[in-house]
């Protein structure tokens, strides 16, 4: 049998001018650095291969010139189809200067297109990208003026609108694994992620192309257990061993961490705590939205701090954290290791994870935001003169049941401090993030409203919520002046009606007891019974219905309290600053109304929020109930007494 082992130089000599190449890597992990460096070296020496098309999912580089950043040289690339440009600034600059054609497709779409290419299919139908810059009505994912070919089309099928993404056939796949045998079978036992290597290899092979895999070692033929083979040898043409460990690091800052590759499990109780700064404030507030027993995705930057907070607060065992790269469970890594997980339960291929996301498997995602406008649109892809790219942002934000966008209120030099539980702005950021119109729509607030998707926007000083009327200011940090510190720093006027204070525990450098809140351990304390007047008081002030579990818990508590009285009661419900996720109004009304119908003689509700009164009245009316929702507790109490 002919050995597939070769040198990087020999492998690169197989790439021809005009080829379509794909490569692997996620942020700073799992990058075939030796192959990228060898391709760059050959081009600089021979000026060939030239006019290549590069297809890749996530950013794969250090943002300074490594990884795919090595491919920026004039003439090397002709076209780029990528989910992220920020990790290859030289390539991004070439695209912005109209030197190369470029498309910024959603990361999950590219990941799934590899499978379409492998199967010989013309492309992919998806709703991902509708009403964003990817939609042909808003640019069709083209990143500059010289990019003319349409590779995204809007189509109507069976009464619904879809996007069709055209597949591009692949000639060369540059991949990475851990071990290879002489037959080219590849295993990934020391890698943090599997990504799309199998689908990419199949796409290139089935198109008559070549598959080149970088590994760190050669093993005896047949010694890799069959189920451990990630890429079968029948798909592999060349195996290149990275003799220099620097060219095969787990990521650019970590040579190897067996806890990230799943080779060992490590204690997490002693993991470093976050300092109480803006990042921790934001992560703490976002963590209050975590759904017990739910699947959660966390973005890079401010959002990935939520994983640390979950660990600090003992919440990690009660939720399943995931990354779009394929990690399921464990404690999500941050920094250069972002995308992987310590003590993960499993690691699946990236395209499979996006199947899970696109199909509605996510209960919550926490993502970053560069710009937000009056309609709740988010820009996370092109801002400040930089072409960053959307990455997996569009897939994840559009398909998660609930979304929390996170980030500092302003950017560029913001300095704050916390004194006695009060947040002080020492120096304001130079750049406003809440603008009249975002430069590019990466997330459509209008589309989210149409689908009743719950959306929050969390900053260090305040929290906004998206509803049918637009962006509403709902919480403010202690020590913050609404007019001076918030409204004066926005390019539009949000809705300001019923603002409450952010939880004071967020601003104390001590455990918050978050787990009890998420599990509704103290929910019984919100229900009290006054036997003399036979009135059941239900205090929902400041509480939030985030999930169906919350509705079930409230129904259970109310039922137990009513049964304990041994008779039907008069109910008074305080709904001041009480909030219900946009998609759960009907579920809440149905479940709680069933309990009240069975156990209550009369029910009076009150809230100072005109919007909440309207929403609740509408929801109850649809169930055949015609309540009057009062503005104050006095009115509600009088109504109950008069009805007795």
């Amino acid at each position: 049998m002919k050995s597939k082992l070769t040198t990087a130089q020999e492998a690169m000599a197989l790439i021809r001018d005009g080829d379509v190449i794909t490569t692997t890597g996620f942020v700073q992990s799992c990058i075939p650095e030796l192959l990228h460096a060898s391709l760059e070296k050959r081009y600089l020496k021979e000026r060939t291969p030239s006019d290549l098309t590069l297809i890749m999912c996530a950013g794969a580089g250090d943002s300074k010139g490594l990884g795919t950043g090595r491919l920026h040289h004039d003439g090397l690339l002709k076209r780029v189809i990528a989910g992220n440009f920020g990790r290859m600034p030289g390539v991004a600059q070439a695209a912005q200067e109209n030197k190369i054609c470029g498309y910024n497709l959603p990361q999950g779409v590219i990941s799934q297109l590899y499978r379409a290419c492998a199967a010989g299919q013309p492309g992919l139908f998806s709703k991902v990208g509708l009403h964003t810059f990817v939609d042909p009505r808003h640019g069709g994912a083209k990143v500059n003026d010289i990019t003319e070919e349409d590779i995204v089309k809007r189509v109507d099928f069976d009464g619904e609108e879809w996007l069709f993404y055209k597949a591009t056939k692949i000639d060369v796949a540059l991949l990475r694994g851990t071990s290879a045998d002489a037959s080219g079978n590849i295993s990934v036992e020391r890698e943090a992620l599997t990504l799309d290597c199998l689908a990419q290899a199949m796409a290139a092979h089935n198109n008559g192309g070549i598959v080149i895999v970088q590994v760190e070692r050669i093993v005896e033929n047949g010694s890799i257990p069959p189920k451990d083979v990630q890429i079968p040898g029948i798909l592999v043409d060349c195996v290149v061993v990275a003799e220099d460990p620097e060219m095969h690091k787990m990521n650019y800052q970590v040579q190897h961490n067996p806890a990230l590759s799943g080779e060992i499990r490590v204690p997490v109780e002693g993991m470093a705590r976050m300092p109480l700064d803006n990042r921790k404030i934001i992560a703490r507030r976002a963590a209050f939205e975590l759904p017990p027993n739910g699947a959660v995705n966390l973005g890079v930057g401010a959002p990935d701090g939520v994983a640390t907070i979950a660990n600090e607060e003992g919440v990690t065992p009660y939720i399943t954290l995931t990354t779009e790269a394929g990690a399921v469970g464990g404690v999500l890594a941050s920094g250069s290791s972002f995308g992987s997980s310590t003590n993960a339960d499993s690691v699946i291929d990236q395209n499979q994870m996006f199947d899970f996301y696109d199909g509605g498997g996510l209960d919550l995602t926490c993502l970053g935001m560069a710009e937000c406008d009056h309609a709740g649109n988010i820009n996370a892809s092109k801002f400040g003169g930089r072409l960053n790219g959307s990455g997996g942002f569009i897939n994840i934000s559009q398909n998660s049941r609930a979304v929390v966008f996170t980030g500092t209120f302003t950017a560029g030099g913001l300095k704050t401090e916390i004194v006695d539980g009060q947040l002080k702005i020492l120096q304001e950021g130079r750049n406003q993030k809440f603008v009249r119109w975002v430069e590019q729509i990466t997330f459509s607030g209008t589309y989210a409203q149409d689908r009743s998707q719950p959306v929050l926007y969390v900053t260090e000083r305040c929290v906004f919520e998206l509803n049918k009327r637009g962006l509403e200011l709902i919480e403010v940090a202690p020590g913050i002046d609404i007019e001076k510190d918030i409204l004066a720093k926005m390019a539009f006027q949000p809705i300001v009606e019923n603002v409450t204070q952010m939880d004071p525990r967020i601003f104390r450098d001590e455990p918050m007891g978050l787990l009890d809140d998420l599990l509704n351990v103290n929910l019984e304390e919100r229900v009290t019974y006054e036997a003399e007047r036979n009135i059941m008081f239900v205090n929902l002030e400041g509480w939030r219905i985030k999930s169906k579990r919350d509705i079930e818990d409230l129904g259970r508590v109310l039922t137990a309290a009513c049964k304990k009285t041994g008779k039907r009661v008069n109910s008074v419900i305080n709904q001041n600053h009480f909030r219900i996720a946009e998609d759960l109004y009907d579920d809440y009304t149905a479940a709680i109304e069933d309990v009240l119908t069975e156990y209550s003689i009369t029910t009076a509700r009150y809230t100072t929020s005109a919007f909440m009164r309207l929403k609740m009245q509408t929801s109850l009316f649809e169930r055949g109930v015609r309540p009057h929702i009062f503005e104050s507790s006095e009115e509600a109490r009088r109504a109950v007494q008069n009805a007795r």
Side-chain angles (χ1 to χ4, degrees), residues 206-224:
N206 288 358
N207 186 45
I210 58 173
V211 176
I212 305 169
V213 185
Q214 171 184 320
V215 297
E216 63 177 85
R217 62 195 179 194
I218 300 297
V219 298
E220 183 69 26
N221 211 28
S223 65
I224 304 175

Side-chain angles (χ1 to χ4, degrees), residues 191-303:
E191 303 298 313
L193 302 161
T194 60
L195 300 176
D196 294 311
C197 287
L198 176 58
Q200 289 171 288
M202 202 173 292
H205 175 83
N206 288 358
N207 186 45
I210 58 173
V211 176
I212 305 169
V213 185
Q214 171 184 320
V215 297
E216 63 177 85
R217 62 195 179 194
I218 300 297
V219 298
E220 183 69 26
N221 211 28
S223 65
I224 304 175
K227 292 182 181 178
D228 291 344
V229 173
Q230 182 68 20
I231 309 174
I234 59 171
L235 303 177
V236 177
D237 298 285
C238 300
V239 174
V240 176
V241 177
E243 304 286 355
D244 182 356
E246 286 295 308
M247 287 293 181
H248 203 89
K249 299 173 75 171
M250 178 172 271
N251 63 62
Y252 290 125
Q253 302 301 318
V254 177
Q255 186 64 50
H256 183 67
N257 180 346
L260 294 179
S261 60
E263 297 168 88
I264 62 171
R265 296 184 73 85
V266 297
V268 296
E269 291 78 11
M271 294 181 69
R273 294 176 61 86
M274 292 175 65
L276 188 56
D277 54 12
N278 287 335
R279 185 167 178 261
K280 185 165 188 173
I281 291 170
I282 293 168
R284 278 183 152 187
R285 176 57 188 87
F288 275 93
E289 304 302 314
L290 290 171
N293 298 321
V296 179
N297 168 275
L298 302 177
V300 69

Side-chain angles (χ1 to χ4, degrees), residues 15-30:
I15 303 176
R16 304 160 301 180
D17 292 349
D19 272 350
V20 176
I21 65 170
T22 185
T23 188
T24 188
F26 185 89
V27 186
Q28 296 192 38
S29 297
C30 305

Side-chain angles (χ1 to χ4, degrees), residues 367-566:
L367 299 170
M369 58 178 176
E371 291 181 330
C372 175
D373 67 21
H374 72 288
N377 298 320
I378 291 292
N379 174 20
S381 47
K382 185 180 180 182
F383 49 87
R386 291 176 49 218
L387 172 60
N388 189 56
S390 61
F393 195 100
I394 299 176
N395 293 83
I396 298 166
S397 63
Q398 185 174 311
N399 293 302
S400 178
R401 196 210 122 240
V403 184
V404 177
F405 293 113
T406 62
T408 54
F409 190 77
T410 59
L414 173 66
K415 294 180 181 179
T416 66
E417 69 173 351
I418 301 170
V419 180
D420 298 328
Q422 304 280 304
L423 181 66
K424 307 294 182 184
I425 309 298
L426 303 180
Q427 177 178 298
E428 193 59 83
R430 295 183 298 274
N431 304 317
Q432 283 191 358
K433 297 174 76 170
F434 288 85
V435 297
R436 182 63 184 168
W437 293 103
V438 295
E439 182 178 351
Q440 188 172 72
I441 298 177
T442 325
F443 172 84
S444 170
T446 303
Y447 191 40
Q449 289 179 41
D450 291 343
R451 295 176 294 122
S452 297
Q453 184 181 29
V455 184
L456 290 182
Y457 308 77
V458 174
T459 75
E460 81 288 347
R461 69 187 74 175
C462 62
V463 180
F464 298 92
E465 182 178 52
L466 182 65
N467 58 45
K468 298 297 183 183
R469 301 179 298 166
L471 215 61
E472 180 176 2
L473 178 65
I474 61 171
E475 297 177 24
V476 173
I480 291 298
D481 181 278
I482 292 178
E483 185 62 44
K484 177 172 69 75
D485 297 323
I486 298 176
L487 301 183
K489 305 298 187 297
M490 301 177 69
F492 62 91
Q493 176 70 31
I495 300 164
V496 183
E497 286 183 355
N498 291 274
V499 183
T500 189
Q501 189 179 83
M502 292 172 70
D503 195 306
R505 292 174 291 175
I506 294 172
F507 303 89
R508 301 179 192 141
D509 198 6
E510 60 190 36
M512 298 188 296
L514 176 64
L515 184 59
D516 285 353
D517 281 57
L518 298 184
L519 298 181
N520 296 321
V521 170
N522 302 314
L523 191 56
E524 289 87 351
E525 298 175 5
R526 290 182 173 272
V527 181
T528 57
Y529 176 61
E530 188 178 308
E532 183 179 342
R533 293 189 291 169
N534 190 32
I535 297 178
M536 187 73 70
F537 293 100
V538 183
N539 179 22
L540 300 181
E541 183 166 359
W543 195 51
R544 179 178 172 86
I545 296 285
K546 306 183 297 293
S547 66
K548 290 184 178 180
R549 179 194 173 101
D550 293 330
I551 298 173
E552 294 167 359
D553 287 347
L554 179 58
R556 173 181 50 79
V557 168
L558 288 177
T559 299
C562 290
K563 282 185 175 181
K564 189 175 180 180
T565 67

Side-chain angles (χ1 to χ4, degrees), residues 498 526 538-543 545 554 558 572-580 585 588-589 592-593 596 603-617 620 627-633 636:
N498 291 274
R526 290 182 173 272
V538 183
N539 179 22
L540 300 181
E541 183 166 359
W543 195 51
I545 296 285
L554 179 58
L558 288 177
V572 175
I573 305 177
N574 174 8
Q575 295 181 322
N576 271 333
H577 302 297
F578 169 57
R579 296 191 176 273
I580 304 172
Y585 270 92
Y588 167 81
T589 303
I592 304 308
E593 198 58 35
L596 296 174
T603 300
R605 305 165 179 82
Y606 68 93
T607 175
T608 56
S609 170
F611 183 63
M612 172 63 84
R613 290 198 299 274
L614 177 62
K615 290 279 288 186
M616 288 303 303
Q617 285 171 340
L620 288 166
H628 179 80
I629 300 180
F630 301 96
E631 292 188 47
S632 67
S633 61

